[in-house]
Amino acid sequence: MSTLKSFAIASSLAALGLAGLVTEAAAQAKEQFFPLLVYRTGPYAPNGTPWANGKQDYIKMINARDGGINGVKITFEECETGYATDKGVECYERLKGKNPSLFDPQATGITFALTDKVIKDKIPLVTLGYGLAASQDGNVFKWNFPLMGSYWTAADMLIQHLAKKEGGFDKLKGKKIALVYHDSPFGKEPMPLLDERQKMHGFELIKIPVTAPGVEQKSAWLQVRQQRPDYVLLWGWGVMNSTALKEAQATGYPREKMYGVWWAGAEPDVKDVGEGAKGYNALALNTSGQSPKVIQDILKYVHGKGEGTGPKDEVGSVLYTRGLIIQMLGVEAVRRAQERFGKGKVMNAEQVRWGLENLALDQKRLDALGFAGVMRPISTSCQDHMGSSWARVHSWDGAKWNFSSDWYQADEQILKPMVKSAADKYAAEKKLERRTPADCQS
């Protein structure tokens, strides 16, 4: 074979190889990537798994039903954290180079560890119903989005509910309220709000820590028995919740006087306790059940094709539905960004951040998305990265959850000054400037 002919063949092969690489790169460029931090192992797996399954199934449904987001297919990659902060940071570092849309750390501890990092990396953190309460202030926390609520809004609504039960805030004076909390950033986060409400209304706040993961609570419930509080607020997650209910039963503490945060009010928390948890109450950000249209679409387009991430009977459960909501808000942030930066295009993290900051999901839009009755409307802005601060109380009847209150909205007169003060303190510590009006437009 002549040298010239060999060179021609080699050049052709190289060109084909290069074309293949270009084609592959083009295919990748048309995909919107969502990293999914999960914990399917360890003591928090019973709660983390349905949450993760809901997020993944929503992505599959959008691809199958709609062909993606305005023609852009969604891809994802899971990374197991075991709810551990160090593993969460490792997952973030490994996946941040893949043009991620956003990160949902699924843990307050991981959120705290990433909050400084995302400022430099310019990647949004979505922490729906958890994370850093002060990050509602988008003028300081440009990259954090505690959508739909924080632990300050949760604590505030629980105190509102207890006051309503007692016949008014003045009736809380002299009452004992115990906070049985996961001894971690998650469990400590509601304390500033509870301290503030304690000063306002004169109840006694008793703080009782539970060492993670919460399988050993004998000493905590001995304190409950000794203190005999009028109410117990349960700030738990994973196995801690069912253990607390079993200990309350063994101690003889009335479950109807126990109120959990919205991460302590799902099926895994009560199903093993069953009748023993009857009367227990918890906050709820969303409904459960298989009647909503979005759930029916998941059953049709995902589970109906044998592509469901988890068991079919889990679809529509409390935490599964919350996973759907989180992923839906991520998808809608991309869609909102496309309206400004180009439909049918892949959005980078900075563009998705703009979309998250300009969400406007009214009831009509929620109905169109199949979320009628599932959640409240949500609308974010540069100043408000939460967008909604409503929740209800639901109660366990021994077999299922039933709503037992109307909607509560967190009291902004109390929260706004607290959020601004905490955000200003963070900005001073980190030497950050509050965003300008021009920055809010960019």
Side-chain angles (χ1 to χ4, degrees):
M1 187 184 293
S2 70
T3 304
L4 189 62
K5 192 172 182 181
S6 298
F7 177 77
I9 292 170
S11 298
S12 299
L13 289 171
L16 283 169
L18 186 61
L21 286 172
V22 170
T23 303
E24 184 182 348
Q28 286 178 345
K30 285 291 287 179
E31 294 174 343
Q32 192 74 42
F33 175 61
F34 281 88
L36 303 180
L37 272 57
V38 302
Y39 33 95
R40 298 182 179 277
T41 62
Y44 304 98
N47 296 64
T49 299
W51 185 359
N53 290 346
K55 287 164 66 175
Q56 198 178 125
D57 278 358
Y58 192 79
I59 290 173
K60 291 175 180 177
M61 189 269 287
I62 291 294
N63 281 338
R65 187 192 68 187
D66 304 342
I69 311 169
N70 291 318
V72 179
K73 286 277 187 166
I74 309 172
T75 59
F76 62 87
E77 182 180 337
E78 284 198 347
C79 189
E80 175 65 42
T81 71
Y83 196 71
T85 297
D86 57 345
K87 288 183 180 177
V89 173
E90 285 174 18
C91 285
Y92 171 82
E93 293 293 347
R94 184 163 68 79
L95 296 173
K96 73 178 184 182
K98 295 190 174 186
N99 192 27
S101 304
L102 55 84
F103 275 90
D104 166 24
Q106 285 199 218
T108 296
I110 300 173
T111 301
F112 281 26
L114 295 181
T115 292
D116 291 346
K117 290 178 176 288
V118 297
I119 297 170
K120 182 171 71 72
D121 296 331
K122 298 184 177 180
I123 303 171
L125 282 183
V126 170
T127 61
L128 187 145
Y130 69 96
L132 188 61
S135 65
Q136 178 181 358
D137 188 339
N139 276 323
V140 170
F141 294 90
K142 183 174 180 176
W143 300 94
N144 292 57
F145 291 86
L147 301 173
M148 289 176 63
S150 70
Y151 295 135
W152 289 2
T153 67
D156 187 77
M157 287 182 277
L158 282 174
I159 297 300
Q160 287 186 46
H161 183 69
L162 297 186
K164 188 175 182 181
K165 281 185 72 68
E166 291 292 332
F169 283 108
D170 59 315
K171 301 294 194 299
L172 291 178
K173 189 171 183 177
K175 297 287 184 186
K176 284 185 178 182
I177 300 175
L179 174 68
V180 177
Y181 67 95
H182 191 277
D183 195 6
S184 67
F186 152 58
K188 295 171 184 175
E189 186 68 8
M191 290 179 186
L193 186 285
L194 293 172
D195 289 339
E196 186 66 23
R197 281 286 195 181
Q198 178 186 24
K199 287 181 210 164
M200 292 172 65
H201 311 303
F203 59 82
E204 181 185 351
L205 180 64
I206 306 158
K207 299 170 183 175
I208 304 175
V210 172
T211 303
V215 291
E216 177 46 62
Q217 298 184 37
K218 298 289 184 191
S219 62
W221 287 91
L222 179 61
Q223 288 183 67
V224 170
R225 189 166 66 186
Q226 290 169 342
Q227 295 279 354
R228 299 175 66 186
D230 295 281
Y231 297 102
V232 167
L233 304 184
L234 179 62
W235 232 264
W237 183 229
V239 70
M240 175 178 165
N241 298 329
S242 57
T243 303
L245 287 165
K246 288 171 185 172
E247 290 293 345
Q249 185 180 15
T251 307
Y253 189 82
R255 266 70 75 210
E256 61 270 18
K257 291 190 174 184
M258 293 177 64
Y259 290 83
V261 67
W262 43 60
W263 301 114
E267 291 82 3
D269 303 319
V270 289
K271 66 180 182 182
D272 292 339
V273 192
E275 279 287 323
K278 189 174 181 179
Y280 170 64
N281 316 277
L283 283 175
L285 287 168
N286 54 271
T287 57
S288 58
Q290 295 194 340
S291 58
K293 186 180 183 299
V294 65
I295 300 294
Q296 290 299 311
D297 284 352
I298 293 280
L299 292 171
K300 177 181 177 181
Y301 291 98
V302 182
H303 283 264
K305 297 179 180 179
E307 295 175 2
T309 313
K312 188 176 180 180
D313 61 4
E314 169 198 79
V315 177
S317 62
V318 172
L319 290 172
Y320 179 95
T321 302
R322 199 161 302 155
L324 288 187
I325 291 170
I326 293 170
Q327 196 56 53
M328 176 273 285
L329 292 172
V331 168
E332 291 309 301
V334 172
R335 200 186 308 276
R336 184 80 175 91
Q338 285 182 343
E339 290 173 12
R340 178 175 181 182
F341 301 105
K343 281 190 177 180
K345 294 182 178 179
V346 175
M347 296 292 102
N348 64 33
E350 290 188 72
Q351 292 166 331
V352 174
R353 192 213 65 79
W354 184 90
L356 285 165
E357 191 168 271
N358 290 274
L359 287 173
L361 302 182
D362 59 12
Q363 193 58 56
K364 184 179 177 182
R365 180 58 182 158
L366 289 177
D367 293 351
L369 290 169
F371 284 82
V374 174
M375 58 183 283
R376 297 276 303 205
I378 180 170
S379 178
T380 55
S381 68
C382 181
Q383 292 75 30
D384 179 15
H385 278 198
M386 187 176 290
S388 173
S389 60
W390 297 80
R392 286 179 286 184
V393 174
H394 62 182
S395 303
W396 181 249
D397 68 6
K400 65 183 186 303
W401 291 104
N402 302 293
F403 285 107
S404 50
S405 83
D406 292 328
W407 288 98
Y408 288 100
Q409 184 177 27
D411 189 336
E412 290 203 345
Q413 286 188 305
I414 299 170
L415 285 159
K416 272 190 173 179
M418 288 183 62
V419 167
K420 186 178 185 303
S421 175
D424 285 343
K425 183 181 177 185
Y426 179 88
E429 288 173 355
K430 303 296 180 180
K431 296 181 172 55
L432 298 174
E433 295 289 331
R434 279 190 166 270
R435 292 165 66 192
T436 62
D439 187 37
C440 282
Q441 299 302 317
S442 62

